[in-house]
């Protein structure tokens, strides 16, 4: 059974229900972040929402499900690039782990979001951590 579409009139679907559903949607997307084949239709079906309702939840949060997932993937990749536990992993491997299909696309997206490419970011993080230890 699909979740009812949100109503434009007050009282039909409460703000508390929307907040709960948005939290569920974000948690589900975060759990599946590594899957480059993830579709919003599959997410909405997994959650028992219509695709329209899924989009409405994120619209109320001033974003889209795709933009939110994309930002989360880039944030996770940045954390991995600066984390000591991922030093041995290649940038391509990290890109794949956070759901990017293509390393060059990941590098362009990373540079667009953070102003530097992943390799430079990693090198800078390693240098700054080394400086703090001395």
């Amino acid at each position: 059974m699909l979740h009812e579409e949100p109503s434009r009139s007050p009282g039909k679907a409460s703000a508390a229900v929307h907040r709960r559903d948005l939290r569920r949607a974000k948690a589900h997307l975060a759990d599946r972040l590594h899957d480059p084949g993830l579709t919003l239709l599959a997410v909405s079906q997994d959650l028992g929402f219509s695709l329209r309702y899924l989009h409405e939840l994120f619209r109320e949060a001033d974003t889209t499900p795709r933009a939110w997932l994309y930002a989360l993937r880039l944030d996770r990749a940045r954390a991995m690039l600066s984390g000591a536990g991922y030093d041995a992993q290649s940038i391509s491997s990290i890109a794949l782990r956070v759901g990017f299909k293509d390393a060059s696309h990941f590098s362009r997206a990373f540079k667009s979001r953070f102003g530097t490419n992943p390799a430079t970011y990693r090198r800078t993080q390693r240098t700054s951590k080394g400086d703090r230890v001395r």
Side-chain angles (χ1 to χ4, degrees), residues 11-25:
K12 259 300 202 177
S14 75
V17 170
H18 282 213
R19 285 191 303 273
R20 181 202 66 207
D21 288 348
L22 181 59
R23 281 192 307 272
R24 285 183 58 220

Side-chain angles (χ1 to χ4, degrees), residues 8-113:
R8 299 286 176 212
S9 61
K12 259 300 202 177
S14 75
V17 170
H18 282 213
R19 285 191 303 273
R20 181 202 66 207
D21 288 348
L22 181 59
R23 281 192 307 272
R24 285 183 58 220
K26 286 180 174 180
H28 189 74
L29 286 168
D31 288 345
R32 306 260 324 267
L33 139 120
H34 63 279
D35 181 0
L38 182 64
T39 67
L40 296 179
L41 180 60
V43 169
S44 64
Q45 289 172 343
D46 290 347
L47 294 168
F49 299 162
S50 70
L51 186 56
R52 181 177 172 178
Y53 181 67
L54 181 66
H55 279 281
E56 179 65 27
L57 292 172
F58 280 87
R59 186 173 20 262
E60 291 174 5
D62 295 324
T63 190
T64 66
R66 182 70 52 210
W68 188 86
L69 178 62
Y70 202 71
L72 182 62
R73 284 176 169 164
L74 288 169
D75 289 344
R76 291 263 176 100
R78 184 174 69 166
M80 292 169 80
L81 288 167
S82 64
Y86 298 96
D87 283 345
Q89 287 194 14
S90 69
I91 291 170
S92 295
S93 173
I94 289 173
L96 291 172
R97 285 188 67 162
V98 298
F100 282 88
K101 294 178 189 177
D102 177 79
S104 62
H105 173 71
F106 164 71
S107 290
R108 286 189 304 274
F110 190 94
K111 185 171 185 174
S112 175
R113 172 100 188 265

